[in-house]
Amino acid sequence: HVQLVESGGGPVRAGGSLRLSCEASGDRYSSYCMVWFRQSPGKEREAVAAIDAANITHYSDSVKDRFAISKDNAKKTLYLQMNGLKPEDTATYTCAAKPTVFCGVWSRAGTYPYWGQGTQVTVS
């Protein structure tokens, strides 16, 4: 079983940057596919970025070239560096994990059994 706790959200001006963190507990963290989802009121949940055990990364078109996903296996922490933030990036950001080495269909929320509580990002 894996528990995930996000941090790093908050208010930020358009054009600014934030780094989100997702700390994991449990074993075998390094062999999991990790992903960041986001959701804002009235909108569908969107998969933003994912990273697998081989450090292969995936990004949605909406954040590609602005966001960067990374992880520190020793610290069991997943990161999302967000640059060039826009008001449309405002959402609750949630990390999720699944016990597979490769992410496969990384954007499908139903394939992830472990979820954090989310952290709010507000861009104005």
Side-chain angles (χ1 to χ4, degrees), residues 35-113:
V35 66
W36 286 98
F37 284 89
R38 69 183 181 186
Q39 188 169 22
S40 54
K43 294 187 177 181
E44 291 187 1
R45 179 183 290 163
E46 176 188 15
V48 173
I51 186 168
D52 66 21
N55 286 327
I56 297 171
T57 57
H58 310 272
Y59 296 94
S60 67
D61 289 341
S62 60
V63 306
K64 194 173 183 179
D65 298 328
R66 297 188 298 123
F67 291 10
I69 190 171
S70 63
K71 61 178 181 173
D72 185 328
N73 289 334
K75 295 182 178 180
K76 294 186 179 180
T77 301
L78 175 73
Y79 302 101
L80 184 68
Q81 177 67 44
M82 306 185 294
N83 301 320
L85 283 161
K86 305 174 182 180
E88 52 263 43
D89 295 318
T90 295
T92 298
Y93 286 72
T94 306
C95 63
K98 60 182 176 182
T100 59
V101 172
F102 299 104
C103 291
V105 183
W106 66 278
S107 61
R108 192 172 295 168
T111 65
Y112 293 88

